[in-house]
Amino acid sequence: MDLRELRRARFAVSVVFALHGAVTGGFASRIPWIQDHVGVGPGGLGLALLAPAMGSILAMPTAGRITHRFGGRAVTRVSIGLWCLALVLPPLAPNLPLLCAALLLYGAVAGVGDVAMNAQGVVAEQRLGRPIMSGLHGMWSVGTLAGGAVGTLAANAGLDARAHLGGAAVVLFLVALAVGPLLLDVRAGEEEAAPPHFVLPSRGVVVIGLVGFCAVFGEAAAQDWCAVYLGQVAGASQAVGAAAYTAFACTMAAGRLCGDAVVRRLGPVATVRGGGALAALGALLVVAARSPVPAATGFMLIGLGIAVVVPLVFAAAGHAGRTPSEGVAGAATVSYASGFVAPSAIGGIASLTGLPASFGLVAVLLLAVALGAGRLAPSAREAPQRTAPTPHRK
């Protein structure tokens, strides 16, 4: 494969990451409409919103077997296409049970797509011979912000979510169709044994995934509680709380887009160690803050510090697994388990001792990211794969 084909493949996988993020942001922006349409309270909505995480965690361990059988390009194209189309399901649900079922399927397709596109990114990174995973996840963040912005405009215009998300699904699906052929056609060798239908991660991948678990916990805590913290603890208005969340999201996106250059200069271990320490410092600032500016600054430091951690966790797991898709699937399953733990843990501690104590736990876990950074060191087995590709080789 020549350098031109690799660059096209990198462009294609960047677009796929942005599409995945755009679906996420579009759905999130219309959750209030969906809640009103179904007619459920906060408890019912909370139950429904657990379904996507459950669907993802159940589906991710199967991704290795699916990719082995059909190839990385085919699985990425189909799963991302279905993920775009799945955007139409939640607003069509007329009641809570059907909403939960729709979101379970939505999450399962998202989980397979997440594994497939990250495996594509790992292989592209190996063949290019330089870090690209942070930038790919930066494109996901950009897609999320774009999807959320379009959703905000649609909501302000009073547009029915069925029309908005249906139209968005068609547009995103057409983009996915266009870039799919440019992805890498990664296939298992004929002598390579097929993985089990449901793959449990190896011990090494689990340890790498635990670093991701701590980072995702901090990210989920900041996303879910930033605006609430600004209002209840720092005395900010709802508008200032929303602005603080936007600043957190933008800081994380910027950190990811710039992260590859930092990784090239410092290496993955030093980058994650420094990022974890910066994020932990931000969480401690949140704990101490009693006014909007220091609280918002703390959340921005959390976003900047953890920006590159999950991309580097997936890259390390892709190298550590028997195949990139197996390694990514294992690390993603462990990391995204935070989606179950973080909301209840933060809320439970807050109900007993207050939100500042909850973010004390976040600070401890983010410090664990810094301490566990050594687990992301490239192994000797990876060294040959990190050399630059030979442009004239086919």
Side-chain angles (χ1 to χ4, degrees):
M1 176 175 285
D2 62 25
L3 192 57
R4 185 181 302 174
E5 290 175 303
L6 282 175
R7 286 174 175 167
R8 284 200 298 263
R10 182 189 176 179
F11 167 77
V13 74
S14 298
V15 174
V16 167
F17 269 80
L19 289 172
H20 198 286
V23 174
T24 303
F27 166 69
S29 70
R30 302 315 303 265
I31 288 176
W33 187 97
I34 293 170
Q35 180 182 10
D36 291 341
H37 177 67
V38 176
V40 295
L45 180 63
L47 177 64
L49 293 179
L50 283 176
M54 184 179 298
S56 292
I57 289 175
L58 290 174
M60 281 177 176
T62 70
R65 175 78 178 212
I66 296 171
T67 302
H68 181 276
R69 180 172 181 179
F70 297 106
R73 179 161 63 191
V75 173
T76 305
R77 292 177 68 181
V78 172
S79 60
I80 293 301
L82 290 175
W83 167 238
C84 294
L85 294 178
L87 191 57
V88 307
L89 296 177
L92 293 177
N95 53 52
L96 181 59
L98 287 179
L99 177 61
C100 290
L103 290 177
L104 188 70
L105 177 61
Y106 172 90
V109 176
V112 175
D114 198 311
V115 171
M117 70 185 190
N118 275 285
Q120 281 274 324
V122 169
V123 175
E125 182 177 82
Q126 290 174 346
R127 295 184 182 180
L128 284 166
R130 53 191 173 86
I132 64 169
M133 289 297 289
S134 180
L136 294 179
H137 281 257
M139 290 301 296
W140 186 91
S141 296
V142 170
T144 303
L145 291 170
V150 172
T152 300
L153 292 175
N156 288 337
L159 186 62
D160 189 300
R162 289 167 293 193
H164 159 223
L165 296 182
V170 172
V171 172
L172 296 175
F173 177 74
L174 292 175
V175 175
L177 282 182
V179 302
L182 302 178
L183 294 167
L184 294 171
D185 190 15
V186 182
R187 293 183 177 272
E190 293 183 1
E191 72 286 351
E192 185 177 314
H197 289 284
F198 194 88
V199 182
L200 293 175
S202 65
R203 180 179 177 183
V205 171
V206 168
V207 174
I208 293 171
L210 287 174
V211 177
F213 178 95
C214 295
V216 172
F217 191 104
E219 180 180 351
Q223 286 178 338
D224 293 343
W225 294 94
C226 176
V228 176
Y229 197 100
L230 266 288
Q232 293 186 2
V233 179
S237 66
Q238 289 188 10
V240 171
Y245 167 74
T246 302
F248 159 79
C250 289
T251 303
M252 174 172 282
R256 285 177 169 173
L257 291 172
C258 299
D260 290 329
V262 178
V263 175
R264 284 195 294 271
R265 184 174 182 85
L266 301 179
V269 174
T271 301
V272 171
R273 188 168 288 143
L278 182 65
L281 178 63
L284 290 175
L285 182 57
V286 169
V287 172
R290 295 298 181 270
S291 59
V293 171
T297 302
F299 281 110
M300 292 172 67
L301 290 177
I302 292 174
L304 182 62
I306 62 176
V308 299
V309 177
V310 171
L312 293 178
V313 163
F314 286 170
H319 296 312
R322 193 168 65 93
T323 65
S325 58
E326 279 189 45
V328 171
T333 302
V334 175
S335 298
Y336 292 155
S338 281
F340 285 108
V341 178
S344 58
I346 295 295
I349 296 173
S351 65
L352 295 174
T353 60
L355 276 173
S358 298
F359 276 84
L361 172 62
V362 173
V364 171
L365 292 177
L366 293 176
L367 182 60
V369 170
L371 296 176
R375 297 294 183 175
L376 275 59
S379 66
R381 179 170 58 86
E382 298 169 40
Q385 298 171 326
R386 291 189 175 273
T387 58
T390 306
H392 64 272
R393 264 170 90 180
K394 296 287 185 183

